[in-house]
Amino acid sequence: MDSPLSVPALADFRRIVIKVGSALLVDRDRGRIRLPWLYSLVEDIGVLHRRGCQVMVVSSGSVGMGRTMLDLPPGQLKLEDGQAAAAVGQVAISRTWAEALAYQDIKAGQVLLTLGDTEERRRYLNARSTLKRLMKLRAVPIINENDTVATNEIRYGDNDRLAARVATMASADLLILLSDIDGLYTAPPALNPKAEHIPVVPRISAEIEAMAGAAASELSRGGMFTKIEAGKIATAAGTHMLITTGHVKNPLRRIQEGGRCTWFLSSVSSSSARKSWIAGALEPHGTLHLDKGAVEALRRGASLLPAGIRWLEGDFQRGDAVILRGPDGGEVGRGLVAYDAPDAERIIGHPTSDIEQLLGIKGRSEMVHRDDMALSSE
Ligand code: GLU
């Protein structure tokens, strides 16, 4: 599957998110952070930084480090033990990053995110300005999920998708996932000696997704599956993604020197970043079922009016992301809905001119404005 496509060079990028997995950073057997490796990575970050590139780091390891420090038992942790471990481990992780970056004369800024910070538009805009400001001030954000308050229901769960959401939120042009494997293979290489490395993925096809499914059991905790999910989020928003091994010192220099990796290329221009945010919503809050005429109108570039909606599902609120489905049940796109579910229920199927009479207020004429909508390709 070698591809003739040319790949970009690291020097071409001006804003890069680097995701570092737990297993790379924390030596669980010895209960400590792998400092020589971290310092070699930070040396590479220093090179990018001095070149004017804005760098963000998504670092895992809080739970892994904290559970060792607190002597918690092996195996699945109870929710509150995981939260406590994260609280203790996060301090150690952040301090170590800050100290390592200080050697390169770079300041670190800790950013802990919860799911709502990327999924709710207002909070997303707020987190985005914080990141942009930090980078303007030439500090490197060290980002993780706020595992101390995350619950099993409300969490990203894996830092691959978190890193992709952060990369798209900050309009990064590259996301690097440092992993325990040097890219995507046609099958798990440890099990199948015929597995072939794939250097470039121009588009995440069903075939690529199937490879990730097959490889998941052999790979890191997030597995290849969450990495491909991250790839979908990133490339839909104009961010290229690269997976490579972090099991070497100076892993970024190794990429520059032509070390093996897999590139996931994006063909989307980042000017449609808002639409990508909508398309990549991790947790839509409901579904609007449209009639045929409404689907056709959307494809022509129109907004979605209440009249074109046959029925709806979900307990969404104004501003939430919802899925739009056509008469055959297929997903037509996603959008931010302009009404809470109970109000929406009252006006669907009605002409826009009836809204005031039905709700007692002169609400918006569209259920989903076309600027707030990302259509799936036909
Ligand atoms: N946020 C978790 C931690 O810092 C890691 C999640 C992951 O490894 O994907 O421990």
Side-chain angles (χ1 to χ4, degrees), residues 218-231:
E218 266 311 288
L219 301 170
S220 64
R221 291 196 299 156
M224 199 48 85
F225 177 76
T226 57
K227 291 180 176 47
I228 299 294
E229 289 298 303

Side-chain angles (χ1 to χ4, degrees), residues 19 21-22 59-64 90 144-145 147 157-160 221-222:
K19 184 257 172 178
S22 231
S59 175
S60 305
S62 68
V63 178
Q90 185 62 43
N144 196 2
E145 175 157 21
D147 293 305
D158 65 88
N159 275 7
D160 295 324
R221 291 196 299 156

Side-chain angles (χ1 to χ4, degrees), residues 175-235:
L175 165 64
I176 300 177
L177 300 182
L178 293 180
S179 165
D180 56 1
I181 189 160
D182 53 9
L184 180 66
Y185 284 77
T186 49
L191 298 182
N192 186 342
K194 295 218 179 83
E196 280 177 50
H197 178 262
I198 302 171
V200 188
V201 175
R203 194 177 66 84
I204 300 178
S205 58
E207 194 193 358
I208 295 288
E209 288 192 63
M211 286 171 198
S217 57
E218 266 311 288
L219 301 170
S220 64
R221 291 196 299 156
M224 199 48 85
F225 177 76
T226 57
K227 291 180 176 47
I228 299 294
E229 289 298 303
K232 286 197 231 166
I233 295 169
T235 56

Side-chain angles (χ1 to χ4, degrees), residues 1-34:
M1 284 211 36
D2 268 303
S3 164
L5 284 169
S6 65
V7 295
L10 276 200
D12 297 341
F13 296 98
R14 56 175 183 87
R15 197 174 284 162
I16 303 181
V17 174
I18 301 161
K19 184 257 172 178
V20 177
S22 231
L24 296 174
L25 193 64
V26 179
D27 180 345
R28 289 273 301 280
D29 296 336
R30 296 207 174 87
R32 60 186 188 212
I33 294 176
R34 293 180 212 275

